Amino acid sequence: EYNPHVGRAILKLYQFDPSLTNFDVVVLVLAKALTALPENDFLDCLYLLPAHVAEKAVVAHLVDLESKLQGFDLKGIWSLYESSELKDLLTSVVGFEDFVRNYIVLALTITHKTLSVREVELALKLTDLTSTAHKYGWKLEG
């Protein structure tokens, strides 16, 4: 389970003693912080990173993913999520794919009153909405 205080505490420890920095842990903290969107945890964590860590490719991909989530770039979200650079990392974060779908559902319910089943399937990258519709209390038509 994600705890923002623990993640930030780890990153602050790395600030005080950079020799302890474990890049895999940093990336995991960032990935978990993404699951707190729309909260600012991810940005808070980014500000704690030293420049040499923040410039790594994986961190840049996570920043790009955060930007696509915030900008609701559905095609970009899923193509970046499926990219080889992030796929292994993000599948290791328990519930990350569910978080992405929940975040998209939140945005869809705020911005739309009705949508076609096909549009929602594409947005959520699902082929069957039955269980999702039941989970959110949606009424499927057509």
Side-chain angles (χ1 to χ4, degrees), residues 46-114:
L46 276 182
Y47 295 137
L48 295 173
L49 298 181
H52 73 279
V53 173
E55 293 169 354
K56 300 262 186 184
V58 174
V59 174
H61 289 309
L62 288 170
V63 170
D64 193 22
L65 182 59
E66 187 265 350
S67 175
K68 289 180 184 329
L69 285 162
Q70 294 281 30
F72 205 61
D73 175 2
L74 295 173
K75 288 181 184 177
I77 291 167
W78 291 115
S79 71
L80 192 55
Y81 178 79
E82 294 292 329
S83 72
S84 59
E85 296 88 5
L86 290 180
K87 184 70 172 179
D88 292 337
L89 165 70
L90 296 178
T91 54
S92 72
V93 177
V94 176
F96 192 86
E97 196 167 319
D98 289 336
F99 151 73
V100 171
R101 287 197 173 99
N102 289 337
Y103 188 79
I104 291 170
V105 165
L106 173 67
L108 288 174
T109 55
I110 290 170
T111 59
H112 294 79
K113 186 174 180 178
T114 60

